[in-house]
Amino acid sequence: MTSETAKNLVRYLADLENLNLDLIEIKTSTSKFGWIQGFTEFIPYGGDVKFDSVTGFMDLYDAVKPHGSRDKWMSLILKIRAWRKKEIAVYMAASFGSVLLAPLNILPFIVNLWAETGKGKTVNLKIAASIWANPGENKYIIDPCGTDTAREVRNNILNNLPAMIDDLSKMRDRYGFDAVTDLVYTQCGGKGKDRSNRELTIREPTK
């Protein structure tokens, strides 16, 4: 159904809205997580701002939300931090630091820990992810071998939240070092590729 195939319905809804402007409650919405309104709100963790991309990205939206006990999480994290493992400290610092980039107006960064299989890289990444979201399988953390477009759209929604990719060696082994180089370049580039749309105009790039 479009404005061309249902002209009468569209006209009716427009009239209904115009006649009830004083009764319809105004809500602010956004299609991105992170800072909005001059760094006064952080979505989805505060305020009355509604996230309006739920339908198309339900898994990601369900992953990024408060859950469980803050005190239990803090108690466990303090025990883990007491191990003095540098890998955990680095990943957690990067995760917390990601949301400070926009307010401080500084460039993005990438943290990648290399180690042999079975040394705990994925566990460390899940600990860092648990700061903001559900660290479970196929929730917030993604596989590196997805498409460029999928990562671009996901980054656009995450906005100020950290993009977490598990084990870049998978990409290197499958596609070569050039693919990893391209990934680093695009992740830090600040916006997605220019693309055309059906009207043969340039679609607004993702950021």
Side-chain angles (χ1 to χ4, degrees):
M1 183 181 296
T2 68
S3 58
E4 291 299 318
T5 60
K7 294 181 179 180
N8 291 333
L9 177 59
V10 171
R11 189 178 298 112
Y12 167 76
L13 293 175
D15 290 342
L16 185 66
E17 179 180 351
N18 291 330
L19 291 171
N20 292 279
L21 290 178
D22 57 332
L23 300 176
I24 298 175
E25 184 179 1
I26 297 175
K27 292 285 187 179
T28 302
S29 67
T30 180
S31 60
K32 297 175 182 285
F33 291 129
W35 297 107
I36 65 169
Q37 297 182 338
F39 308 120
T40 60
E41 298 282 356
F42 193 89
I43 306 303
Y45 294 112
D48 296 324
V49 180
K50 302 299 182 182
F51 185 74
D52 60 13
S53 295
V54 175
T55 303
F57 305 94
M58 183 63 72
D59 290 343
L60 182 57
Y61 179 77
D62 283 343
V64 185
K65 63 183 178 183
H67 182 75
S69 167
R70 176 189 177 277
D71 292 338
K72 288 183 178 179
W73 180 87
M74 185 66 73
S75 176
L76 176 61
I77 291 300
L78 289 176
K79 291 178 182 178
I80 294 174
R81 297 274 296 192
W83 299 345
R84 301 292 183 180
K85 296 290 185 180
K86 292 181 180 179
E87 299 87 350
I88 295 174
V90 168
Y91 265 154
M92 291 192 68
S95 184
F96 278 119
S98 65
V99 302
L100 300 177
L101 297 179
L104 296 177
N105 192 30
I106 57 179
L107 296 174
F109 60 86
I110 291 179
V111 174
N112 180 46
L113 299 184
W114 182 91
E116 297 176 354
T117 300
K119 297 298 183 179
K121 299 188 301 297
T122 299
V123 173
N124 292 332
L125 190 63
K126 287 184 175 182
I127 292 172
S130 72
I131 295 170
W132 308 107
N134 184 341
E137 296 292 333
N138 302 315
K139 297 296 184 180
Y140 187 84
I141 301 172
I142 63 171
D143 185 274
C145 295
T147 66
D148 292 340
T149 302
R151 282 193 297 270
E152 184 179 311
V153 172
R154 188 181 182 89
N155 288 345
N156 185 57
I157 295 170
L158 288 175
N159 193 24
N160 304 124
L161 289 177
M164 297 190 176
I165 305 174
D166 186 25
D167 199 353
L168 287 180
S169 63
K170 293 180 182 178
M171 174 179 282
R172 178 204 62 198
D173 295 341
R174 181 177 296 185
Y175 303 114
F177 280 105
D178 287 345
V180 178
T181 301
D182 290 343
L183 173 64
V184 171
Y185 182 81
T186 54
Q187 289 288 121
C188 292
K191 70 172 188 176
K193 298 178 181 178
D194 288 335
R195 292 184 176 90
S196 179
N197 54 30
R198 290 184 298 179
E199 287 74 32
L200 298 182
T201 59
I202 300 300
R203 192 181 69 186
E204 182 179 358
T206 55
K207 296 181 179 180

